[in-house]
Structures are given as structure tokens and as C-alpha cells.
Amino acid sequence: MRTRQRPPTAPAASLDDLRADCRRGKVLLFVGAGVSLSLGLPDWSELIDHMAQELGFEPDEFRGYGSYLALAEYFRLHHGDVAQLHRWMDRRWHDAGIRVQDSRVHELIVRGGFRLIYTTNYDRWLERAFEHHGRPYVKIVDVGDLAHIRPDATQIVKFHGDFEREDSIVLDETSYFRRLEFESPLDIKLRADVLGRSVLFIGYSLSDVNLRYLFFRLACLWKQAMPGTPQPRSYIFTPEPNPVQQAVLGQWGIEMLSVDAGDPGQALAAFLEQVVG
């Protein structure tokens, strides 16, 4: 019987390159839902259960009717908007018992010296982590916020919106499809920000089609902006190695890095320790 070989974890040379880029301020950090989940925030299944209850469906039945985007779209059609859903999410995602000051992952993100942080999360825990650790930041949700950028402050770009501005949130299918046009002011900013920088993705699932489309778009943007010039190496952290995804993502200039650890949250903290600790 053929023995399946476990792919290597984060190669030393790649980590060295990533650490060097971080020290030079040449890494754009992309933060996904997995980072917030490490705080104990609800996952999407709880959101779907809440929508089902509000709409009078059994949760298991409702879950089988489509993706969370389609289900949120149905919620919007039924209620006229998703403002009530945004408010419920805001309350649940910011429960008084959540302690960002206890999160080693958030501490390492703050202390990592990243000048540009993009996040597809709606919550305010990144901002609160910067406030707790006394580091300056500027939150950017729309084009009007660009006027507040300061050279001494980290930019936290809320790429899919922010709970404080309900009309900015990308949650239902319609808002998601508009987002895929990739022509908003934040998209134009991203195009400029990625030039000459590596991108590090943390807290994302490899099955997230939104993330995979973003990988594809970044590769296309680089080729259009800098034809014939090698794209800076970019990285995604995953708790477990995956040789299939490693090959697929490699074609888009994304290198997969992982750390041996039982718990995904501990694995991410251990990885960030190696990069910025």
C-alpha cells in the first residue's frame, strides 16, 4: 500500500522572506472570519438559524435551500431590507463577555507593524485590539475615509463593510454580486496597495469562493499593471497542509503556509509568533 506523505509545513525560506517583508513594511495583511471566531464569536450557522426562526422555517430545512448569501437575499426580500439582521449580528458579534485583550492572535496582529490591514469581517474587534494596545489606526469603510489616512497610523480597510454603517455591509446575494464588479473605490485602492507588496491571508477557509475569486483577481491585477514583472509572493496560512490546494493556489502566486498544532487558533498564534513575534 502506498503511504501518503504529509506535505511540509511552513518552509523556512518562505518564512524568512515573509519576516523580511514584514520588517520592511511590505506586507498587506488580509484578515478573515477565522480570526474573529478565535474570540468565540458566532459562526454563519447561528446566523442561518436566526434567519430561519425569524422567517418561520425549521433551521435544517432552511439551511438546505441555498448558500447563506441566497438565504440572506430571501430574508431581504421578505422583510424589505436586512437592517434587522445587521442589528442582531452587531449585538451577537459584540457580546460584553468577549475579551479581545486576552487574544494572543489580535495582540500579534497589532504588534506586527502592518501598515495595511484589509478585512472582510464586519465586527470591530481589530479596532478594539488596536485601542487596547495603544496603537494608532484609521478605519476605512468608504472613499470619504481616505482623507483621514495618516502616515503614523495603520489603515484598517473594512472591505465588506462595517456594522456602524449598515449600507456598507456585503451580506446578501445582491450586495455580494455588486462587490464582485471590483470597481468600487476600495477596489481601486487595493489595486494600488498590492503593487510592490506581498499579501498574507489569515483566518480564511480554502473553500471560500469569495477568497478564491480575490486570489484570481489579484493575480490578474498584477499582470495588467506590471506585465512581464514577477508578482510578489503572497501567502495564506492554513492550520492543515493541503497538497491539492497548494498546487491550485500556486498558479495564482499564493503560497500555502501551515504550522503543526492541534487547535486552529493555537496554530494561527504559533504562526504569527514565527512571523512577527
Side-chain angles (χ1 to χ4, degrees):
M1 181 179 293
R2 192 175 182 181
T3 301
R4 186 177 65 179
Q5 294 187 346
R6 184 181 176 89
T9 55
S14 297
L15 279 174
D16 288 343
D17 291 342
L18 181 54
R19 276 193 291 261
D21 283 343
C22 281
R23 285 194 297 269
R24 292 195 296 265
K26 292 295 185 180
V27 174
L28 186 156
L29 182 66
F30 244 100
V31 175
V35 170
S36 292
L37 289 177
S38 69
L39 292 170
L41 269 65
D43 59 18
W44 289 114
S45 64
E46 184 171 336
L47 172 64
I48 292 172
D49 289 350
H50 174 75
M51 288 192 289
Q53 181 181 3
E54 290 293 312
L55 294 167
F57 287 93
E58 288 294 326
D60 289 342
E61 174 192 10
F62 187 62
R63 196 175 285 110
Y65 287 146
S67 68
Y68 82 85
L69 290 168
L71 300 179
E73 184 81 4
Y74 178 78
F75 188 99
R76 181 184 64 79
L77 292 170
H78 189 272
H79 285 277
D81 58 40
V82 287
Q84 183 257 42
L85 198 57
H86 292 167
R87 289 191 290 272
W88 178 84
M89 292 171 67
D90 195 358
R91 291 193 301 272
R92 288 290 293 115
W93 265 248
H94 296 102
D95 185 271
I98 298 172
R99 291 175 52 85
V100 73
Q101 59 266 40
D102 295 338
S103 170
R104 180 61 174 159
V105 168
H106 283 79
E107 179 184 355
L108 289 166
I109 289 173
V110 173
R111 300 194 185 284
F114 299 102
R115 299 176 186 175
L116 288 163
I117 299 178
Y118 279 67
T119 180
T120 48
N121 300 340
Y122 319 121
D123 62 69
R124 293 182 283 277
W125 292 113
L126 274 177
E127 298 95 292
R128 291 185 180 178
F130 272 79
E131 291 164 4
H132 173 74
H133 293 287
R135 299 293 178 92
Y137 72 90
V138 174
K139 180 171 70 174
I140 299 171
V141 181
D142 55 36
V143 66
D145 296 323
L146 298 178
H148 304 298
I149 291 175
R150 303 180 352 233
D152 65 324
T154 294
Q155 297 175 39
I156 300 179
V157 182
K158 308 298 282 284
F159 205 57
H160 278 181
D162 181 80
F163 280 132
E164 293 180 352
R165 305 184 200 178
E166 288 186 352
D167 60 346
S168 70
I169 293 181
V170 177
L171 179 62
D172 57 10
E173 208 165 54
T174 294
S175 59
Y176 178 76
F177 288 160
R178 289 197 187 107
R179 198 71 193 77
L180 289 182
E181 294 174 358
F182 237 75
E183 292 297 335
S184 77
L186 292 190
D187 296 317
I188 296 169
K189 173 175 168 54
L190 176 62
R191 293 178 196 176
D193 287 342
V194 297
L195 294 180
R197 290 185 176 90
S198 295
V199 184
L200 172 60
F201 296 88
I202 60 173
Y204 286 99
S205 167
L206 293 174
S207 63
D208 184 345
V209 69
N210 174 56
L211 175 70
R212 302 179 76 82
Y213 181 73
L214 182 58
F215 287 159
F216 171 75
R217 290 295 300 174
L218 287 175
C220 291
L221 288 174
W222 181 263
K223 290 175 183 176
Q224 292 168 6
M226 306 288 287
T229 303
Q231 180 179 348
R233 193 164 14 170
S234 291
Y235 311 86
I236 181 169
F237 170 77
T238 62
E240 293 288 335
N242 185 319
V244 173
Q245 299 292 355
Q246 187 169 338
V248 173
L249 297 180
Q251 69 181 326
W252 297 327
I254 309 292
E255 183 169 347
M256 185 182 297
L257 302 177
S258 57
V259 170
D260 281 323
D263 177 78
Q266 293 176 355
L268 177 55
F271 170 72
L272 289 174
E273 290 272 11
Q274 293 183 39
V275 175
V276 305

